[in-house]
Amino acid sequence: MSMSAFRRSAQRLASVDWSSPVFKGDHELTAMVAGFRAWTAQADAMVEKYSSPPAPIDFAAAKASVRDVALVDALEKMYTSSSPPPLTYEWSAEDRAKKAQLVEDAKEGLAFTQEMIEDTQKEIAFLRVNRTTRDTSTSDMKEVYPDIAEEVETEIENREWFKDTIGK
């Protein structure tokens, strides 16, 4: 990963509110988020570790501690004479398309989740306003819960007195 790409991803991760209730609602999701956070911490540690060039090899110390000095000489000669080309990773178009589709799916899922959160908050507000107390009449209940009132009226008309209480 290039340094600029890493910086961009680190900035995005820094802006994530990991203590958000979204990440704590489901045990499986909580475990996955914890694993992801551990992975990013490991990536941060690796960037710190490998951000500077490696220290030069001390061939003199190796010659002093190894019986076969000719082997160390051959390794030193090979090390100083070789200059391998840098390895670059090319992200394939197919893999890029798959990841883009995953991102789009996640955005759609996020939009759906946001919509569900808004609907749930409206429902909670409605239920708080129409809280059932000892003073609530059956007429009030019919107004607040018309679907249940319709079901009850249908059961009364069909004389299904014990429909929901007796096991079949």
Side-chain angles (χ1 to χ4, degrees), residues 10 28 43 50 72 74 78 88 99 101 104 106 118 130 132 159:
E28 186 176 332
Y50 297 114
V72 176
M78 182 186 74
T88 57
K99 298 302 179 193
Q101 183 62 41
E104 289 302 316
E118 290 171 9
N130 297 305
T132 304
R159 299 184 182 272

Side-chain angles (χ1 to χ4, degrees), residues 63-145:
K63 288 177 186 176
S65 63
V66 175
R67 283 185 281 179
D68 192 0
V69 177
L71 176 64
V72 176
D73 285 335
L75 287 172
E76 183 177 12
K77 182 180 176 185
M78 182 186 74
Y79 179 77
T80 56
S81 66
S82 72
S83 57
L87 294 176
T88 57
Y89 175 73
E90 189 66 32
W91 195 9
S92 68
E94 178 183 322
D95 193 31
R96 189 177 300 140
K98 285 181 184 177
K99 298 302 179 193
Q101 183 62 41
L102 287 173
V103 168
E104 289 302 316
D105 293 346
K107 286 180 182 177
E108 290 174 9
L110 177 64
F112 176 72
T113 303
Q114 291 296 338
E115 184 180 317
M116 292 288 289
I117 288 171
E118 290 171 9
D119 291 346
T120 303
Q121 288 173 342
K122 289 177 185 175
E123 182 71 20
I124 290 171
F126 175 79
L127 291 173
R128 284 186 177 150
V129 168
N130 297 305
R131 185 169 291 193
T132 304
T133 64
R134 291 180 183 262
D135 299 329
T136 306
S137 68
T138 54
S139 298
D140 295 337
M141 292 288 286
K142 286 180 181 181
E143 288 177 20
V144 174
Y145 305 105

Side-chain angles (χ1 to χ4, degrees), residues 6-42:
F6 177 76
R7 283 189 196 108
R8 282 192 309 267
S9 63
Q11 288 169 348
R12 287 185 193 129
L13 289 175
S15 67
V16 173
D17 179 17
W18 295 110
S19 62
S20 173
V22 172
F23 297 121
K24 296 180 181 179
D26 181 17
H27 297 292
E28 186 176 332
L29 178 64
T30 304
M32 290 175 72
V33 166
F36 179 72
R37 290 182 68 191
W39 179 79
T40 56
Q42 181 184 14

